Amino acid sequence: MGRLVGIVGKPNVGKSTYFSAATMISVPIAAYPFTTIRPNRGVGYVRVDCVCKEFDVRDEPVNSVCQDGARLVPVELVDCAGLVPDAWQGRGLGNQFLDEIMTADALIHVIDASGGTNLEGKICAPGTHDPLEDVEFLDKELDMWLVRIFKKDWEKISHKGKVSRDDLIKDLVERLSGLAIGRGSIERALKESGLSLDRVDSWSDSDLINLIHKIRLISKPMVIVANKIDLSKARENLARLSASPYRVLACSAEAELALAIN
Ligand SMILES: Nc1nc2c(ncn2[C@@H]2O[C@H](COP(=O)(O)OP(=O)(O)OP(=O)(O)O)[C@@H](O)[C@H]2O)c(=O)[nH]1
Ligand SMILES: [Mg+2]
């Protein structure tokens, strides 16, 4: 199997409904937080234009299917337990799977666009919670989780003060290799951060957090699925979500699931 895509977000927003619609695998779905405890895994398909029409050839793909000029590329999807604030410090259930989520090549952040679910995943009246907060919250949880891993033994390195660029990159690659974060992402993030590699001991905590944030954005591309678009207030919130730094896709996973199984 090729790429692994993690479906993440706070509880009760429709992650499993989305997973089920995308994979056609039946999994528990319910209107309360922490319905999913152990991650669900399955295969979904990414639709991309196939080159066969442009080159006017008959193709015989080995690991995907070409349907009338559209290539269906299989990707493995993992649907995780919901994350709550301070998951990176061990709160809630989803934190147990952050290691697993962070091995993904890309992430789908499902939010309740109607603002009808609070930060803990409890149902509230549509429009009473701001879904933009959900985008900020997940960013923080993922970044802080990575910072925690990154900081292990960081003192040893930073105390050396001056380290060679190669040694620093080698250390970071080793530290983050288990999370499918490659050398290219690390080198690009370091360059974009503008941090001085001459005096690593002069990096502040916020320098580190900004660097990790960049590494994550480069190595784990993420889209926002603005789910529950069928509910009131969702369209208004969708317009506001365009201010987020991510690509935002409107969705009704419940409707997609109903269409997929009928
Ligand atoms: N109106 C509406 N409800 C939805 C939609 N998608 C999911 N739901 C409902 O939202 C509730 C939570 O759905 P789940 O798929 O279990 O949510 P989850 O994010 O996996 O929840 P946890 O596993 O608890 O983290 C269920 O009652 C779903 O039927 C949607 O697009 N529109
Ligand atoms: Mg679930």
Side-chain angles (χ1 to χ4, degrees), residues 92-216:
L93 293 177
N95 68 80
Q96 298 166 38
F97 309 108
L98 268 166
D99 277 340
E100 191 171 345
I101 295 168
M102 286 308 211
T103 63
D105 299 291
L107 298 170
I108 296 175
H109 179 192
V110 180
I111 61 171
D112 173 354
S114 75
T117 320
N118 73 15
L119 263 187
E120 303 285 334
K122 297 203 177 95
I123 302 281
C124 55
T128 52
H129 177 77
D130 184 354
L132 275 167
E133 265 183 48
D134 298 352
V135 179
E136 279 171 29
F137 137 78
L138 194 84
D139 269 1
K140 181 181 164 202
E141 297 306 323
L142 299 182
D143 286 345
M144 292 312 291
W145 181 261
L146 282 174
V147 167
R148 216 177 68 155
I149 293 171
F150 186 92
K151 273 197 155 177
K152 280 184 198 152
D153 301 329
W154 176 246
E155 303 296 309
K156 270 194 226 157
I157 295 213
S158 61
H159 276 151
K160 285 187 202 158
K162 191 169 169 61
V163 282
S164 78
R165 185 176 187 279
D166 282 353
D167 281 351
L168 178 67
I169 291 174
K170 191 168 156 255
D171 177 81
L172 295 182
V173 170
E174 272 168 22
R175 206 172 282 244
L176 301 173
S177 63
L179 301 173
I181 297 177
R183 188 181 180 98
S185 304
I186 294 169
E187 284 187 345
R188 200 178 125 196
L190 273 170
K191 197 168 167 207
E192 286 179 14
S193 72
L195 286 169
S196 158
L197 302 186
D198 291 337
R199 296 266 6 147
V200 176
D201 56 344
S202 70
W203 293 4
S204 66
D205 264 6
S206 68
D207 287 337
L208 269 182
I209 294 172
N210 289 338
L211 175 65
I212 286 290
H213 180 72
K214 276 189 197 300
I215 292 176
R216 178 174 65 79

Side-chain angles (χ1 to χ4, degrees), residues 12 14-17 28-29 34-36 40 79-82:
N12 213 4
K15 299 182 297 302
S16 298
T17 312
I29 292 171
F34 300 119
T35 304
T36 305
N40 299 306
D79 162 39
C80 300

Side-chain angles (χ1 to χ4, degrees), residues 7-28:
I7 303 175
V8 292
K10 71 183 185 185
N12 213 4
V13 288
K15 299 182 297 302
S16 298
T17 312
Y18 183 94
F19 170 86
S20 197
T23 60
M24 302 286 286
I25 296 172
S26 174
V27 295

